[in-house]
Every structure is written in structure tokens, then in C-alpha cells.
Amino acid sequence: MISPTLSPPSRRFSTVAVLRILLPIAIFLCSLLPILLHNETAALHRHDEWHDPRPNIRRQSKQTRVKSIRYHLNETELLLDIHSKQSSLNLTFPPNIGTAGKSLLLHALTPRPVPDSLLNPAYEAERCAKYFSFENNTKAFLSYHNATQHPNNERPPRRRLFLGSLLADDSWHALAAVAMETYGIYAVVAFVESNRTQTGSPRPLRFLQGTTEYDLLMERRIFGPSTRVLLDQFSYEGEVDGGGLIREHRQRAKIIELWKRGGMTVRDVGILTDADETPSRDFLRALQTCDFPELRDEQNCFAPKIVVASNVFEGSPECMTVTRKWMHPDVILGKCIEGIGEKEFQLNVSQRQRAYAWRKDDYSAKYLYRGWPKEKKQFPLWNPADFRRDTGGYEIYYEDVDYLPFRMGHTGFHFHNYFETTHQLRTKYRTYGHPVKTADELAVAQIHPDLDLMTDCVLDRSPEKNKHSTLSTTLAEFEGRIPVAYELNGYSVARHLELRRILTEDERLRKNGTWHETAKAKESEAKSTT
């Protein structure tokens, strides 16, 4: 009799054992599936409403810039993206903007929902707790809720923010970056363009109705679907008492007029900038919701100014300086702004250095308003010159970060020395601010120390002789807060490579040189050693 074939006993035992182990695991995983799907759906829903308030930040080394950083860019993909978007938007580009600028501008002009429009109290409380100023050498962090102003624990509404800036030959690389950072946040954006520079040199008006530049700035909703954009041209052909700065402050005074036209009230907030400056998006949202002492209804205007601590990018997204911060833009409650607040608290011309200028010392916080009548219930209103100057009465705000020794992170960005052509750059330095009359005859790096730093960074040279230094890695490796525009895939590298070509060609046509070789630099160095 032949016995039936049977499986070996050891094999039968191991199969059963494995099944006994796997079955409970499978049941457990199946029970988790609904939870995992719910969390993923919730996460996707939250993403449409607000961003993660905790940036992924790593500690940066203090070494000087690494030589020979390799940059790569697929320009074919970038050009295809530009052509497809340009045709859909029916868009004419401004001249000399380059491939990178076209890509940036197209993204800035593309209609889209405002990503963080919904207000979530738990999120706002976490956001507010990140920001601080110093009070008696101690960090004073913000909070979301003020029990005095909201005793019933109701959710405070977002404040309305008004942007005001001068406008001239600013690069679209800066203008579009500011627009993307602030998209959908401002109630009103106000620009004033002049037919003359600070030094009185004539310049053609750029943003006239019917031009490409006007269309991009005014007609395309570049600052958001509901943001109102206002523009005025300033022209003054008379002699200016006080020179270039007073011309600038006269021009800024028109910003306040535009804010009034846009409906600003004493409870709204004015943010005065240059066109290449902006608070970070996260800090703008904080200004709308957090309990800043400077923005409370009971503000008496003794110290009403909030100063933004901005990271500086020199010419390129890849040239972020790491040894300084730019202390602008400036923020003040409407109640304390001349032309918006009560007229009884407005300074007259005799109480200022001259018409349109900043206040005299006796009417400043630095000198405890010693000339101001003590019976007044409020301190003097601030005009645009007071906004931009250090007259006391301000607090600098920082973001708490873990990659800096004192955790004093930036709250804004300054897109400094951005340009389309080196001709535009030389014109700026020849006719604005502290003019360099020989700018047309000099290499870019010889014109100003900041341009020397930019050139060293873009052309991959050692910055050891410069006062400041730039990030030692590529921007992609920096995990602190960066501008929204610089998160666009490929843009940062494309712009850096464009600048490298522009500056290399400029040096080919002109003599090569650095700031440190100029007579002015040597004179300054000699003074500092005596």
C-alpha cells in the first residue's frame, strides 16, 4: 500500500506560524487606514488656508563664501514655461528683462487665490509668539489676544494695511518679488513717481498711462485680486530748500494723500517703504493680527514706530548678506500719521527743520518731547520724513530663530542694487542719494562697496576685503525664511547666471577693478587708521 504524499511537518508549521503573525498586523493596519486618510485630507485642506508658521531652519556656518559654487539651469524648460504663460496672459514684457525676469513676472501676474486668506486663531497665536522686541534688554514676545481690547475673548479682526512707496527706475526683479511677497494682503498700495531724481536730474516718467510699465503695475492686479493700486506723478521745478532729501520728502508727502484717497482711518496701519523693500509675508500677517503695543487703540504716539529688520540681497537672490540687516520698512498706526490723525497734534513748519522735513529735537522722543505742551493728551503726529529717520520713538522687531547666536532673525527683505542693465545701475549711482559723478567711467565694483560685494559674489571672487560677506552656500541650502519669489523653481539660479553674464561682459568692455583700489576707498581707510 502506497501512502499519500504529505508536506513535511516543519514546512507546515512555519507557514501557520507566519500567518498567525501577519494576520493581526494586517488587521491593525486596516484599522489605521481611515485615520491616516482623514489626517491627509485635513492636511491638504489646511494647506489651502495657511502656511506652516515654523520655518525649517538650520544653523549656518560662519565661513566666508565657498569658491566655485556650481549653478545649473535648464533654460529650455524655463523658456517653454514663459511662452505658454505669456500667450495665455496676452502680455508684453518690458525691455531688457531677461529670461529669469520674464519667468518671475509671469508668476507674479498669474491670477491665483490668496493662500493664507482664512484666519485661524490657534495658528495666529503660534505666529505671534515667534516675534519679539527688546524691553529693558529683555525679549518681549507678542501675543495674539489682548484681554483689555477684547474682554469677551472674541477673535480680533485683521488690521487693514496700506503700503506707500516712491517709484523710479526700480527693477522688475524687485517689484515682482515685493508683489509676490505681499499678494492679497494690502488694502491699498500707493506709489509716487517723480520727473526728477534726488539730485534734481531730469528723468522720463516711466509709469504713464498707456505704457507697458503702467499696464503691468496698475492694470494686472499684481498685488492681489482685491488690492487697490494708486499712482501719482510728482513734479516740482522750483528750487528745493534743503536739497535732495527734501525733494524726496516732498514726494513722500503725496503718499499720505493717496492713503487718504484710499480710505485710510486712524485704526489702519501705514507701511512706508522704498520700492525694493518689504516686510516678510509672515510678518505682514503678524502686523494684521498680533497685539503690538504700537498698534493699540490707546496709542499716544510717544513711540509709535515699528521697524522691520530686513535681510539684504545684493543684486542677486544668491547674494544674501549675512553680516548686516537693513532697518526698514517702517510701520505706524494711522492715528499717529500726519494727515490721518487729529490735526490738533500736527507740528507746524517752525517745529520742523524746514517744510516737509523731520521734526526738531525738542519735539522728538529722543529728547522726551521737551518742547511739546504738557497738557496735550497725545504726542505729535509723524510725517513721512519722521517715518524714515531715526528720531527715537520706535521698536525693532525680530523673529525668534535657532540658527543665529542671539536668535534675532529677520522680519523683512531688501532687494538692493537690482537692475536690468549696467547703464541703469550707473545712472542710479550718478543721480541719486550720494551721487558718484564718475560712475560712467568706473567698473561696477569701483562705484560703491556694496557693488564690490555684489560683484565678488556673482563672479565668485573672494570677499575678504569687503566689510560685509554673503551666504557661504547656495540659497537652496539656506533653510531660514526666504522671499516667496525665491521659492520659484529655477528662478534664483537663472537670475544669478544672467547677472554673471552681464557683469562679465561689462568688465570685458571696461577696465576691471574693485572699490578698494579707488582713491576714495584709500582715503577712507587712511582716516580710519589715524
Side-chain angles (χ1 to χ4, degrees):
M1 179 175 178
I2 301 173
S3 301
T5 304
L6 299 174
S7 299
S10 58
R11 183 178 174 187
R12 185 169 58 247
F13 173 79
S14 61
T15 303
V16 171
V18 169
L19 287 173
R20 285 176 177 173
I21 293 170
L22 290 179
L23 188 59
I25 294 174
I27 293 170
F28 174 72
L29 290 175
C30 288
S31 66
L32 280 180
L33 188 59
I35 299 172
L36 293 171
L37 288 173
H38 171 77
N39 288 343
E40 182 66 19
T41 305
L44 289 169
H45 180 63
R46 286 195 298 270
H47 179 72
D48 290 335
E49 297 178 5
W50 61 80
H51 298 297
D52 186 352
R54 296 154 296 185
N56 183 19
I57 294 171
R58 72 171 182 84
R59 198 171 301 279
Q60 296 294 311
S61 65
K62 296 182 180 179
Q63 62 189 1
T64 56
R65 185 174 178 82
V66 176
K67 294 288 286 179
S68 301
I69 292 176
R70 302 280 183 178
Y71 292 98
H72 302 283
L73 173 70
N74 188 333
E75 289 202 25
T76 303
E77 289 184 9
L78 206 59
L79 286 168
L80 288 173
D81 186 48
I82 289 169
H83 290 314
S84 63
K85 284 188 171 67
Q86 183 181 7
S87 59
S88 65
L89 291 173
N90 189 25
L91 178 67
T92 301
F93 286 115
N96 303 312
I97 194 170
T99 303
K102 289 175 181 177
S103 177
L104 178 67
L105 195 51
L106 283 168
H107 279 89
L109 291 168
T110 300
R112 57 201 183 277
V114 179
D116 48 4
S117 58
L118 298 183
L119 191 150
N120 179 280
Y123 173 85
E124 296 301 330
E126 190 170 359
R127 186 205 306 274
C128 296
K130 298 188 312 233
Y131 292 104
F132 68 92
S133 61
F134 284 97
E135 190 175 302
N136 298 324
N137 297 319
T138 302
K139 290 182 180 179
F141 286 87
L142 296 174
S143 63
Y144 175 54
H145 182 256
N146 183 311
T148 303
Q149 286 195 305
H150 305 282
N152 299 321
N153 204 35
E154 67 269 27
R155 184 171 72 182
R158 279 177 169 160
R159 301 179 184 94
R160 293 201 307 167
L161 305 184
F162 286 62
L163 169 67
S165 175
L166 303 184
L167 194 60
D169 300 318
D170 304 276
S171 167
W172 276 107
H173 286 278
L175 294 174
V178 170
M180 290 188 70
E181 194 71 25
T182 66
Y183 186 80
I185 290 182
Y186 285 113
V188 170
V189 170
F191 290 112
V192 178
E193 181 185 19
S194 175
N195 67 335
R196 290 186 178 272
T197 69
Q198 276 183 342
T199 59
S201 301
R203 60 173 296 275
L205 290 172
R206 174 183 171 193
F207 294 92
L208 291 173
Q209 195 162 1
T211 63
T212 296
E213 309 275 4
Y214 183 93
D215 173 61
L216 296 175
L217 187 74
M218 303 295 296
E219 305 288 358
R220 297 281 182 156
R221 299 194 179 278
I222 191 170
F223 287 95
S226 303
T227 299
R228 188 178 175 191
V229 183
L230 303 175
L231 171 68
D232 202 352
Q233 267 88 28
F234 171 80
S235 177
Y236 183 78
E237 300 303 312
E239 187 175 344
V240 177
D241 178 22
L245 280 178
I246 300 304
R247 176 180 291 278
E248 179 179 307
H249 294 317
R250 288 180 71 109
Q251 188 179 345
R252 287 191 192 279
K254 293 188 77 68
I255 291 173
I256 311 300
E257 295 176 15
L258 292 177
W259 282 351
K260 288 178 70 174
R261 191 197 307 173
M264 178 183 266
T265 70
V266 295
R267 300 191 72 180
D268 297 323
V269 177
I271 301 177
L272 202 64
T273 78
D274 280 342
D276 59 358
E277 304 165 351
T278 180
S280 70
R281 185 173 189 86
D282 195 74
F283 192 63
L284 283 170
R285 287 302 194 194
L287 287 169
Q288 288 187 302
T289 60
C290 301
D291 180 30
F292 287 85
E294 296 81 8
L295 303 181
R296 291 174 184 166
D297 291 344
E298 64 268 25
Q299 171 64 250
N300 65 3
C301 305
F302 181 94
K305 186 165 79 166
I306 293 169
V307 174
V308 177
S310 294
N311 260 10
V312 181
F313 291 86
E314 281 295 346
S316 166
E318 295 291 334
C319 297
M320 185 181 82
T321 58
V322 294
T323 50
R324 67 164 172 168
K325 284 186 171 64
W326 176 249
M327 295 307 175
H328 293 296
D330 308 282
V331 183
I332 296 184
L333 185 68
K335 179 181 181 180
C336 299
I337 297 173
E338 188 174 294
I340 305 297
E342 293 184 47
K343 198 168 184 178
E344 122 182 49
F345 306 114
Q346 184 170 316
L347 293 172
N348 59 45
V349 174
S350 69
Q351 294 167 321
R352 296 190 171 279
Q353 302 294 340
R354 52 177 58 84
Y356 299 97
W358 52 96
R359 60 190 64 195
K360 290 180 177 178
D361 289 345
D362 285 352
Y363 304 95
S364 70
K366 273 189 175 180
Y367 295 89
L368 302 177
Y369 297 99
R370 63 193 180 192
W372 188 246
K374 290 182 171 54
E375 65 274 13
K376 295 273 191 181
K377 65 178 182 179
Q378 185 178 304
F379 292 94
L381 302 177
W382 292 52
N383 77 353
D386 298 323
F387 250 103
R388 292 292 286 188
R389 289 182 67 89
D390 177 10
T391 59
Y394 63 85
E395 289 290 346
I396 303 171
Y397 278 85
Y398 301 94
E399 181 176 6
D400 184 53
V401 298
D402 65 2
Y403 66 91
L404 294 174
F406 299 100
R407 304 180 67 95
M408 296 163 62
H410 56 281
T411 49
F413 306 108
H414 184 199
F415 307 109
H416 192 221
N417 286 321
Y418 279 45
F419 60 93
E420 267 73 55
T421 67
T422 52
H423 172 73
Q424 291 174 340
L425 189 65
R426 289 186 171 91
T427 299
K428 167 188 169 180
Y429 274 89
R430 186 167 38 79
T431 62
Y432 280 88
H434 304 286
V436 180
K437 295 181 180 179
T438 58
D440 288 338
E441 305 160 18
L442 299 173
V444 167
Q446 293 176 309
I447 297 172
H448 192 276
D450 291 344
L451 294 180
D452 196 22
L453 177 64
M454 176 195 73
T455 304
D456 285 345
C457 173
V458 173
L459 299 184
D460 213 7
R461 296 170 179 167
S462 171
E464 60 185 358
K465 290 186 178 181
N466 285 297
K467 180 179 178 182
H468 296 291
S469 59
T470 53
L471 190 67
S472 61
T473 65
T474 62
L475 186 65
E477 295 172 83
F478 173 67
E479 297 183 38
R481 192 178 297 283
I482 65 172
V484 171
Y486 295 173
E487 295 175 357
L488 293 178
N489 186 32
Y491 167 71
S492 178
V493 172
R495 177 55 181 162
H496 193 73
L497 294 179
E498 278 184 357
L499 278 174
R500 184 172 289 179
R501 290 193 290 267
I502 291 169
L503 292 177
T504 299
E505 178 65 11
D506 190 80
E507 287 196 349
R508 188 184 68 80
L509 296 174
R510 300 169 184 266
K511 66 175 184 178
N512 185 11
T514 71
W515 162 257
H516 310 286
E517 300 167 353
T518 64
K520 191 170 183 180
K522 292 174 181 177
E523 180 185 339
S524 176
E525 186 177 345
K527 284 181 180 178
S528 65
T529 56
T530 57

